[in-house]
Amino acid sequence: MSLASERDSEQAEWMQHPVGGGKVTRRVVLWSVLVLTALFLVAPLVLIVTSGLSLGVGAFVRNLSEPTTLHAILLTLLTAVVVVPINILFGLAAAWTVTKFDFRGKTLLIALIELPYSISPIVAGVAYLFVYGSQGLFGPLLEALGLKVMFALPAIFLASLFVTAPFVARELIPLMQVQGTDEEEAAVTLGAGGFTTFWRVTLPNVKWAVVYGAILCNARVMGEFGAVSVVSGNIRGQTTTLPLQIELLYQDYNVAGAFAAATVLTAVALVTILIKVTLERTGKTSSAGPGH
Amino acid sequence: MRRRVIPGFGLALGTTVLYLGAIVLLPLCALLLKASGIGLAEFWEILSSPRTLSAIRVTVTMAFAATIFNAIYGLLLAWVLARYRFPGKRLLDALVDVPFALPTAVAGLALTALFAKNGWFGAPLDKIGIAVAYTPLGIAIAMAFTSIPFVVRTVQPVIEDLGSEVEEAGRSLGANDFQILWKIIFPAIFPAFLAGCSLSFARSLGEFGAVIFIAGNQPMKTEIVALLTYIRLEEYNYQAAAAISTIMLLMAFAMLIVTNAVQAWHLRYVGRGEV
């Protein structure tokens, strides 16, 4: 064998045997991860669905059609219908502001946009109490006007808006940063107005990221527990969203009912992940994955 | 400053600032205002009460334990997803998002049922004398569950971006697998790894829904800070709730600063600092 071909085969060997690529290492690492994942991430899902359906589909449907659970489902849907569109609009405005323009304080604004993400939902709930509660800034004024915000629907909407404010913006900002401003500038130079530029140029480029951010936002709104439990007052059949209803049922030792409600929310979560995977496979969300 | 070609700056900035002001800043300011009215002595008394201190200790210790677990498991998971090809990889990748998509109350309910004394995992663990549900260990498991995606999703893209050149160069210089891993790969992913861990820790500190189901919520033993805040509210002890919330808020800010510093370092490290 000549020296050159020997070197070639060694080179090929490096390519075929990267670090951790050895047969034994690979097997040990892969299987430990798979087993841990099965125990840690898959088992809870399986448990919810099997427990929810353990007494049969009939019992499952009966559990869900209990008046208070049904009310909780409707309230959760209503909250999503109100909150998600508002936060899509906010996400678009925020992303447009910080990616298409240069201005002083931009870094601060970006930090502020992401702030709710790092604050405990409980703290968010308590903070709202000190704005609209009877002990809060606007409490006495609202009381005088006869308006009820705390422990009522508006508070549930507001707390949900707080915790999911960054979701759409966080998907859009990295993507729009990469895309730059060239296309928008070209459109404006050709005489397009601000709205036309946004609608015809920017939005088509980011529509999948908007969809992705919206489904994540929706999943979180439907599942939010801490912030909503502080501000909703937990009035049975009136201000309990589905996650709160799960806790109430569980405290009542109605475990089957709790798991039936949990199955519904699990289905929402699985559909969310399914849409995410589909969007990624079409390759249209580009680099705007979670954690960026 | 560059002349603005694209119109709509005022409207976009105005909307963003107004919305953030009303939804995010106003409540936080109201909270701080409330806390500032308490008075230093009373504030200190609330914080230094044995029950508050115990809640802080339990929360921080268990968040730390959860982060250690996530650091190891998350790193392995990211490594497997980035470097190995195997059937079911897409499914595994999708499963990483489960804790983000699944409501925390649902996660808490499921974990409690799994680890209860008669649960799938609780029963065998009970036989060897390990109790998980209604103990601090349960708190750590719930925290780890809700924050595992942070580590994976921060580290995974960095491992994917690592070129094979450095690895091959190391090998051609005679380094063995361990040396390459320790001296080439780990330093490259370390900043991202640290950022992921600090995100995981920060999230664990504030977690409520998943933890309260499995914790058992015994004062002085398995009570977390978020729950104590909630209890003080139910007792109409608004001062205590405000004081404890303020401490949680300050911890969140501190973690935010740490995470941002680590992330800035990480961006410089990989040479993509043009944000």
Side-chain angles (χ1 to χ4, degrees):
Chain A
M1 203 191 274
S2 77
L3 204 64
S5 73
E6 199 173 306
R7 206 166 47 229
D8 277 353
S9 75
E10 263 178 45
Q11 187 107 34
E13 209 177 62
W14 293 330
M15 306 289 262
Q16 279 164 15
H17 299 288
V19 171
K23 217 172 179 182
V24 179
T25 324
R26 197 188 123 99
R27 202 165 280 180
V28 170
V29 172
L30 186 57
W31 276 103
S32 45
V33 166
L34 290 179
V35 169
L36 260 175
T37 306
L39 294 176
F40 197 55
L41 297 179
V42 180
L45 292 178
V46 177
L47 178 104
I48 294 160
V49 178
T50 53
S51 307
L53 298 170
S54 62
L55 299 175
V57 178
F60 176 76
V61 174
R62 262 199 311 285
N63 273 321
L64 287 186
S65 46
E66 282 286 314
T68 52
T69 303
L70 208 57
H71 185 274
I73 292 175
L74 292 177
L75 180 57
T76 303
L77 289 175
L78 177 67
T79 310
V81 168
V82 171
V83 170
V84 175
I86 294 178
N87 272 343
I88 290 176
L89 290 180
F90 165 69
L92 285 168
W96 172 271
T97 309
V98 300
T99 58
K100 302 297 174 193
F101 304 103
D102 276 320
F103 55 93
R104 216 184 283 202
K106 191 156 107 170
T107 324
L108 184 70
L109 191 65
I110 295 177
L112 208 58
I113 293 167
E114 297 208 339
L115 188 59
Y117 207 63
S118 48
I119 289 174
S120 172
I122 284 289
V123 174
V126 174
Y128 267 104
L129 198 64
F130 293 136
V131 183
Y132 302 104
S134 55
Q135 301 278 314
L137 288 178
F138 303 156
L141 178 71
L142 290 168
E143 227 161 281
L145 293 171
L147 294 172
K148 197 162 167 57
V149 174
M150 225 47 210
F151 309 132
L153 276 187
I156 296 177
F157 297 157
L158 285 168
S160 304
L161 284 173
F162 181 103
V163 292
T164 58
F167 276 64
V168 177
R170 266 179 67 251
E171 298 309 321
L172 288 179
I173 290 172
L175 183 62
M176 286 167 68
Q177 228 149 24
V178 172
Q179 288 175 352
T181 55
D182 296 351
E183 288 186 41
E184 281 81 2
E185 279 166 12
V188 172
T189 316
L190 291 170
F195 183 74
T196 313
T197 308
F198 170 76
W199 191 253
R200 305 280 293 269
V201 179
T202 308
L203 202 55
N205 280 335
V206 298
K207 62 182 176 204
W208 295 111
V210 174
V211 172
Y212 182 40
I215 57 152
L216 291 181
C217 178
N218 176 66
R220 178 67 188 267
V221 169
M222 289 191 159
E224 178 50 34
F225 181 75
V228 173
S229 74
V230 172
V231 301
S232 82
N234 247 328
I235 307 163
R236 217 170 271 253
Q238 284 182 40
T239 63
T240 49
T241 58
L242 205 43
L244 301 182
Q245 179 71 6
I246 290 175
E247 203 208 2
L248 285 180
L249 292 170
Y250 184 72
Q251 282 172 352
D252 291 347
Y253 300 105
N254 184 352
V255 177
F259 272 110
T263 307
V264 174
L265 287 174
T266 307
V268 173
L270 292 179
V271 169
T272 304
I273 293 174
L274 195 70
I275 296 175
K276 185 205 161 201
V277 171
T278 315
L279 285 179
E280 272 174 353
R281 198 171 292 188
T282 54
K284 278 167 180 158
T285 52
S286 165
S287 63
H292 286 264
Chain B
M1 196 177 281
R2 198 157 52 91
R3 198 176 63 84
R4 292 188 186 102
V5 182
I6 306 169
F9 175 65
L11 180 68
L13 181 69
T15 311
T16 308
V17 170
L18 209 65
Y19 184 83
L20 283 174
I23 296 294
V24 178
L25 282 183
L26 173 67
L28 294 181
C29 289
L31 170 63
L32 293 175
L33 198 69
K34 187 80 184 175
S36 68
I38 294 175
L40 222 53
E42 228 167 321
F43 200 95
W44 181 245
E45 199 179 320
I46 294 166
L47 288 183
S48 60
S49 83
R51 194 162 162 192
T52 314
L53 285 180
S54 152
I56 292 175
R57 199 186 58 238
V58 168
T59 309
V60 173
T61 323
M62 291 309 127
F64 195 70
T67 307
I68 301 269
F69 173 80
N70 279 352
I72 299 164
Y73 172 48
L75 192 60
L76 285 177
L77 196 47
W79 179 266
V80 163
L81 287 173
R83 300 285 293 246
Y84 294 166
R85 259 190 277 176
F86 54 92
K89 181 170 157 171
R90 277 179 189 283
L91 182 66
L92 186 67
D93 196 49
L95 280 171
V96 172
D97 289 322
V98 165
F100 273 171
L102 197 70
T104 54
V106 175
L109 181 70
L111 290 172
T112 311
L114 277 178
F115 286 100
K117 276 201 167 59
N118 56 355
W120 294 350
F121 301 160
L125 284 173
D126 190 47
K127 280 213 179 83
I128 53 172
I130 300 174
V132 177
Y134 318 123
T135 70
L137 187 57
I139 299 178
I141 285 178
M143 286 172 169
F145 181 89
T146 49
S147 60
I148 179 69
F150 284 113
V151 180
V152 183
R153 295 302 188 215
T154 338
V155 177
Q156 188 185 351
V158 182
I159 301 181
E160 275 165 2
D161 282 351
L162 277 182
S164 56
E165 303 87 8
V166 277
E167 215 178 297
E168 282 165 27
R171 185 136 307 180
S172 70
L173 290 170
N176 60 28
D177 267 20
F178 181 76
Q179 285 170 322
I180 293 175
L181 197 63
W182 189 245
K183 296 205 163 146
I184 297 175
I185 297 177
F186 201 66
I189 62 175
F190 187 67
F193 174 66
L194 210 59
C197 289
S198 60
L199 285 170
S200 165
F201 184 70
R203 170 71 189 260
S204 297
L205 287 179
E207 184 50 41
F208 179 70
V211 175
I212 59 156
F213 277 88
I214 201 170
N217 308 323
Q218 292 163 285
M220 308 299 293
K221 281 188 189 131
T222 58
E223 188 172 65
I224 55 165
V225 185
L227 180 70
L228 185 60
T229 315
Y230 191 81
I231 289 171
R232 294 300 185 227
L233 277 183
E234 286 194 317
E235 295 167 351
Y236 302 106
N237 188 347
Y238 291 116
Q239 288 202 332
I244 303 170
S245 296
T246 306
I247 291 304
M248 288 182 77
L249 190 62
L250 294 181
M251 287 202 286
F253 279 137
M255 285 312 298
L256 200 64
I257 291 167
V258 169
T259 314
N260 274 343
V262 173
Q263 252 158 2
W265 177 44
H266 157 54
L267 286 177
R268 260 206 314 280
Y269 210 99
V270 295
R272 289 186 299 189
E274 81 280 1
V275 175

